[in-house]
Amino acid sequence: RHLVFPLLEFLQERQLYPDEQILKAKIELLNKTNMVDYAMDIHKSLYRTDDVPQDMVDRRVEVVARLKALEDAAAPLVTFLQNPNAVQELRADKQYNLQMLNDRYQIGPDQIEALYQYAKFQFECGNYSGAADYLYQYRALCTNSERSLSALWGKLAAEILMQNWDIALEELNRLKEIIDSKSFSSPLNQVQSRIWLMHWSLFIFFNHDNGRTQIIDLFNQDKYLNAIQTSAPHLLRYLATAFIVNKRRRPQFKEFIKVIQQDQCSYKDPITEFLACVYVNYEFDGAQKKMKECEEVILNDPFLGKRVEEGNFSTVPLKDEFLENARLFIFETYCRIHQRIDMGVLFEKLNLNYEEGERWIVNLIRNSKLDAKIDSKTGTVIMEPNRPNV
């Protein structure tokens, strides 16, 4: 639920819906959490008043009382964990720790359970930093594998919401290991958990420096790709984008095109359709139209449309990279099936004016191993036939 807030923030920034609708959606979402002060602030902003409904006031009193009760229940363990000398007594052996805590500090299962409840409540209140710390400490003491897994999901969500991308990636990999283990619960639960993991991972992969490679590593694994194809085909958009902006993944890319081809009936959007136009149907006019639609999709997608402020300007780096590589894909494929190419026709397909296009092709030929030359008199690019390697 909390991960929906960044999505609503994005929609609000892009002004894709009336502000009033977004604020109402935020209040509706906040009513299912313990972030009562935030809900009150939004209510005041939405209705331009300093008054808030009585049920919000009552809810705040209830939340504060519950937080105090949980704080008191977890206090002995929290005090212990805040003492560096005491914490040094803990070992890797959980059974030893439980016995030692019980014997020396009168801390038993009830206090450990209280720490979990307290951490969860802190998360619901929007204190993600406190929740992450307590969940980490809880997992070091917890012997119930189901509870430990739940705490790891909570820790992952908290790190994502704090935008700690490196730590979030570590937690994601930890969670993946558990989900993929043979001892994990039923196969159905395993598939559902993989789907949740992939959805949450989008926050990390499109913000982490190495994310575009990592998303291919995760989503393109057979078990994960099967889960996408059967239950979450909309995730193909993000895998397709990663393949387009990632120049090194060609062997896997060919296999992925087959997946796009197979799944055209169950899911398509401009990004997957662009790949189908270029690599399945060799339909270059269609690819040109799709490129324009892809630009719109990227700008309005909360994961792909991340904006970067540079002075007074705001840019969407992924959009520029996508369009550059998309042109390259069209050009390479077009060159494979034509020996002499009219540059005017080609630039039209690449959405470039003549001057831009000529500069683009000169740079491309210079920087790549493309066997091609430009004939300026006729305004054509001539592909050199591949010579056999004697």
Side-chain angles (χ1 to χ4, degrees):
R1 193 170 287 137
H2 289 245
L3 293 175
V4 178
F5 286 111
L7 307 185
L8 291 176
E9 292 288 341
F10 176 85
L11 296 179
Q12 195 168 13
E13 276 170 32
R14 291 285 295 128
Q15 298 180 332
L16 294 171
Y17 299 94
D19 221 33
E20 188 183 325
Q21 284 184 21
I22 300 278
L23 292 174
K24 281 181 178 173
K26 280 186 179 179
I27 290 175
E28 198 179 322
L29 196 62
L30 286 164
N31 286 341
K32 294 167 186 158
T33 72
N34 294 327
M35 294 163 77
V36 279
D37 288 343
Y38 186 26
M40 285 176 168
D41 289 344
I42 291 177
H43 185 278
K44 289 172 186 174
S45 163
L46 175 61
Y47 296 105
R48 295 178 179 81
T49 172
D50 288 335
D51 298 324
V52 291
Q54 188 59 39
D55 61 339
M56 277 189 168
V57 177
D58 296 343
R59 177 103 172 89
R60 190 180 190 284
V61 172
E62 187 187 309
V63 166
V64 170
R66 176 81 177 129
L67 184 63
K68 182 75 179 77
L70 287 170
E71 194 178 354
D72 292 345
L77 185 48
V78 170
T79 305
F80 168 83
L81 292 167
Q82 284 169 346
N83 180 344
N85 295 329
V87 170
Q88 281 180 344
E89 295 179 53
L90 294 172
R91 296 183 189 170
D93 183 347
K94 286 187 182 181
Q95 292 303 331
Y96 167 85
N97 292 340
L98 295 179
Q99 194 64 51
M100 183 272 290
L101 285 170
N102 201 24
D103 294 348
R104 290 193 208 167
Y105 298 93
Q106 289 73 56
I107 292 171
D110 289 352
Q111 282 79 24
I112 293 171
E113 171 62 18
L115 183 67
Y116 172 83
Q117 296 297 344
Y118 183 48
K120 191 172 190 302
F121 206 81
Q122 289 275 11
F123 181 89
E124 288 296 329
C125 291
N127 177 9
Y128 305 124
S129 173
D133 288 345
Y134 292 136
L135 288 169
Y136 172 76
Q137 289 158 340
Y138 170 79
R139 288 193 73 240
L141 300 169
C142 168
T143 52
N144 178 327
S145 58
E146 211 170 294
R147 263 299 162 79
S148 181
L149 180 67
S150 174
L152 186 52
W153 279 107
K155 174 88 160 58
L156 172 60
E159 299 298 354
I160 288 171
L161 288 157
M162 289 189 290
Q163 300 185 6
N164 294 334
W165 306 122
D166 285 334
I167 300 170
L169 185 59
E170 284 171 27
E171 303 298 6
L172 184 83
N173 289 330
R174 219 167 258 138
L175 202 46
K176 178 186 180 295
E177 236 174 81
I178 295 169
I179 292 167
D180 289 346
S181 67
K182 287 177 183 170
S183 58
F184 198 74
S185 61
S186 72
L188 180 62
N189 267 352
Q190 205 167 30
V191 171
Q192 286 172 338
S193 297
R194 283 185 182 128
I195 290 165
W196 277 113
L197 191 73
M198 286 188 283
H199 279 90
W200 288 26
S201 76
L202 296 175
F203 289 97
I204 303 168
F205 291 145
F206 288 102
N207 283 289
H208 194 280
D209 291 342
N210 200 26
R212 296 160 192 192
T213 303
Q214 303 262 7
I215 191 173
I216 294 173
D217 291 341
L218 178 66
F219 285 28
N220 211 48
Q221 285 180 29
D222 286 347
K223 289 171 183 173
Y224 285 81
L225 197 51
N226 288 342
I228 289 173
Q229 287 180 275
T230 53
S231 306
H234 50 273
L235 292 176
L236 288 172
R237 166 187 289 187
Y238 303 103
L239 185 51
T241 303
F243 269 120
I244 291 169
V245 296
N246 197 315
K247 292 172 185 173
R248 294 184 185 172
R249 299 271 164 172
R250 291 306 156 90
Q252 292 162 298
F253 183 59
K254 284 179 185 170
E255 290 305 309
F256 180 65
I257 294 300
K258 290 178 189 170
V259 172
I260 294 281
Q261 195 172 0
Q262 286 165 8
D263 288 14
Q264 274 180 313
C265 298
S266 58
Y267 177 79
K268 57 186 172 187
D269 70 16
I271 294 174
T272 61
E273 285 180 306
F274 168 77
L275 288 177
C277 284
V278 177
Y279 290 101
V280 179
N281 307 321
Y282 302 108
E283 191 193 327
F284 299 105
D285 289 339
Q288 177 199 353
K289 285 178 193 147
K290 290 299 163 196
M291 258 176 77
K292 288 178 181 169
E293 289 174 32
C294 288
E295 192 174 347
E296 196 69 18
V297 165
I298 290 168
L299 289 173
N300 294 326
D301 184 290
F303 300 107
L304 307 178
K306 181 187 162 195
R307 306 185 90 73
V308 172
E309 303 299 327
E310 292 172 0
N312 297 329
F313 296 101
S314 169
T315 61
V316 178
L318 193 131
K319 181 199 79 170
D320 299 333
E321 275 184 75
F322 182 95
L323 294 175
E324 176 66 19
N325 286 336
R327 284 192 192 108
L328 189 61
F329 282 20
I330 293 175
F331 183 68
E332 284 178 350
T333 311
Y334 198 78
C335 288
R336 266 192 224 114
I337 54 177
H338 295 84
Q339 196 174 348
R340 183 181 283 271
I341 300 155
D342 182 316
M343 289 202 286
V345 172
L346 180 62
F347 300 156
E348 197 183 314
K349 296 189 187 312
L350 297 173
N351 294 333
L352 292 169
N353 65 42
Y354 202 91
E355 195 182 322
E356 268 181 325
E358 197 165 23
R359 201 165 47 241
W360 186 81
I361 283 191
V362 168
N363 289 333
L364 187 66
I365 293 172
R366 189 183 295 142
N367 299 330
S368 71
K369 294 173 183 173
L370 208 62
D371 284 330
K373 62 182 182 184
I374 294 173
D375 183 340
S376 299
K377 285 181 186 173
T378 58
T380 55
V381 177
I382 300 161
M383 303 308 301
E384 297 288 335
N386 285 334
R387 295 179 186 83
N389 188 358
V390 179

